[in-house]
Amino acid sequence: MYEMKTLLPQFDIQLPTCMYEMKSLTTKNKTSVQGFLCKIGAGQVTSTPTASAVSTCCPLDLDKLALQMQRQLLKMSGDDAQEVVLRQEKILQQLNDLKAQLCDIRISLGFDEKDQKSSHMATSSIVVNVHNGGLREEPLHDIVINGHPKFIPYALLALKNAWKDLYTLDVKTFTHATVSDIGTEAKDFEQALKTVPMNTNNPKINITLIWKNCEHTEMISSPTMYVPIYGEVNIIRYLCRVGPQEYRYEDSPLCNEIDAVLDICYQLLRCTTPKSKASMLKALHNRLKNQQYFGGNTMSVADIGVHSSLKRMPGINDKDLTPALLEWRNRAAQVTLI
């Protein structure tokens, strides 16, 4: 073959001098290491077993021999190598201590119940797979909801009561530093959440409600991306899409009707004048008509949205509601318990 010329000219490579030099671990002590191994094989090292003893010793004796050889090699490798080994051992010990502390924290927070959680996830996966064509769905992340104490999201309590035999909403409340006092009504709401029984055999969603000085009720569904969902009505829509099959309405023929009722609730919560409130209540009456519930004869997410919206507006009295709405509210209260 023909010879190719080099692409790079010859340069004198200057090694950096900013780093400290370490003694060689192989070439410098090669002779002494070989001599030490020969002494071990000949039985001249009294602190280690002889060659005949090595051939008949048990595995435990071989481990001791290997450990003693390693120590002797470290002595021959210089002070720098010993210092590196000591630092590594110190770092490993610190990591083990940190691991033990993290395990203690997990146990104190109640995260040691792995078997119980795995059973919950298995139950949730089985229920979802049956109703989803066998498709596999990943478990949901914990949900965070920021709400103002003056605008209490009663829909969480209504859903928790309505789903107590189907799905579990584990709601925990916290108070942000921007709020000095949440008030009596919010405290009663927290107490009502705690009194709802939870079935450990049902699938569960963990919800963290934070009382915060915020303008709108917002939900954070992703721990990595701050993509909020604004409005209590839209939070209801999200929870019903991931909740029990009985309350999912995407494939229902009443899907448009339910969304229309929820849109009226969204507008009702933002009404500031009596005239606008009366207009929205009239729209709800026209949607209900002579039905038992909004959208039919069974309870749906539309009823929960309307009931929680009316609960959030104390300015709306019984005299503002039509007889049909009054009868409906009494029926819905038996399910939502708000």
Side-chain angles (χ1 to χ4, degrees):
M1 299 293 292
Y2 60 89
E3 182 179 357
M4 293 184 63
K5 296 182 179 180
T6 180
L7 299 178
L8 297 176
Q10 298 294 331
F11 289 102
D12 293 333
I13 300 176
Q14 300 293 333
L15 297 177
T17 58
C18 59
M19 300 294 292
Y20 62 89
E21 295 183 359
M22 289 188 63
K23 297 179 181 180
S24 175
L25 301 179
T26 56
T27 57
K28 186 175 181 180
N29 298 320
K30 183 176 180 180
T31 305
S32 59
V33 171
Q34 291 178 350
F36 173 71
L37 294 177
C38 293
K39 290 181 180 180
I40 293 178
Q44 299 177 5
V45 179
T46 58
S47 59
T48 58
T50 60
S52 59
V54 170
S55 61
T56 58
C57 67
C58 62
L60 181 60
D61 295 333
L62 292 176
D63 293 338
K64 292 181 179 179
L65 176 61
L67 180 61
Q68 195 166 4
M69 290 173 59
Q70 183 180 7
R71 291 177 179 175
Q72 188 67 23
L73 289 174
L74 288 177
K75 292 180 180 179
M76 297 178 181
S77 300
D79 297 336
D80 293 337
Q82 289 183 358
E83 185 178 356
V84 171
V85 172
L86 292 176
R87 281 187 292 177
Q88 289 179 347
E89 292 179 353
K90 184 177 180 180
I91 293 174
L92 291 176
Q93 183 62 36
Q94 291 176 350
L95 291 175
N96 290 331
D97 295 341
L98 179 60
K99 182 179 179 181
Q101 293 178 6
L102 292 176
C103 291
D104 294 338
I105 293 174
R106 288 179 60 86
I107 294 175
S108 63
L109 294 176
F111 291 139
D112 57 333
E113 302 175 358
K114 296 182 179 179
D115 297 336
Q116 184 176 1
K117 287 192 173 184
S118 61
S119 64
H120 293 336
M121 297 307 301
T123 305
S124 176
S125 300
I126 293 174
V127 174
V128 172
N129 289 341
V130 169
H131 298 288
N132 200 24
L135 297 178
R136 178 181 178 182
E137 293 187 3
E138 296 295 332
L140 291 174
H141 295 288
D142 294 350
I143 296 174
V144 178
I145 297 178
N146 298 322
H148 198 282
K150 293 183 179 180
F151 308 105
I152 300 175
Y154 283 101
L156 294 179
L157 180 58
L159 288 174
K160 191 171 184 179
N161 286 319
W163 294 356
K164 59 184 177 182
D165 297 328
L166 303 172
Y167 217 86
T168 299
L169 295 181
D170 190 3
V171 184
K172 292 182 173 58
T173 58
F174 299 91
T175 303
H176 196 263
T178 57
V179 178
S180 58
D181 185 17
I182 62 176
T184 305
E185 189 176 359
K187 293 179 181 178
D188 294 339
F189 174 76
E190 291 181 346
Q191 188 62 30
L193 288 173
K194 296 178 182 178
T195 57
V196 179
M198 292 192 301
N199 189 349
T200 57
N201 296 323
N202 290 335
K204 183 176 71 171
I205 301 178
N206 295 322
I207 300 177
T208 300
L209 175 61
I210 302 177
W211 300 118
K212 194 175 181 180
N213 189 12
C214 54
E215 183 178 359
H216 302 285
T217 303
E218 60 180 13
M219 184 188 77
I220 311 299
S221 59
S222 174
T224 57
M225 296 184 297
Y226 190 84
V227 183
I229 298 177
Y230 291 106
E232 183 178 352
V233 175
N234 294 324
I235 294 175
I236 294 174
R237 284 189 170 106
Y238 178 87
L239 293 177
C240 287
R241 279 168 168 78
V242 299
Q245 182 68 23
E246 291 80 0
Y247 280 80
R248 298 185 183 183
Y249 64 94
E250 296 93 338
D251 298 330
S252 172
L254 301 174
C255 177
N256 294 333
E257 179 68 18
I258 293 175
D259 277 330
V261 174
L262 292 177
D263 290 339
I264 295 174
C265 296
Y266 187 85
Q267 297 174 12
L268 177 63
L269 292 174
R270 280 152 182 78
C271 291
T272 56
T273 62
K275 184 177 180 179
S276 59
K277 293 179 183 178
S279 177
M280 292 297 103
L281 292 176
K282 183 179 180 180
L284 289 175
H285 172 75
N286 294 334
R287 292 287 180 179
L288 180 61
K289 295 181 180 179
N290 296 325
Q291 301 178 117
Q292 294 290 321
Y293 298 98
F294 285 95
N297 295 324
T298 57
M299 190 84 170
S300 68
V301 60
D303 300 278
I304 294 177
V306 177
H307 200 192
S308 62
S309 299
L310 294 178
K311 179 69 175 179
R312 276 189 54 180
M313 303 188 69
I316 298 179
N317 301 320
D318 292 346
K319 63 180 182 180
D320 299 325
L321 302 178
T322 62
L325 287 175
L326 285 174
E327 294 178 1
W328 163 85
R329 190 169 68 173
N330 294 331
R331 287 191 296 269
Q334 298 177 3
V335 179
T336 61
L337 301 179
I338 60 174

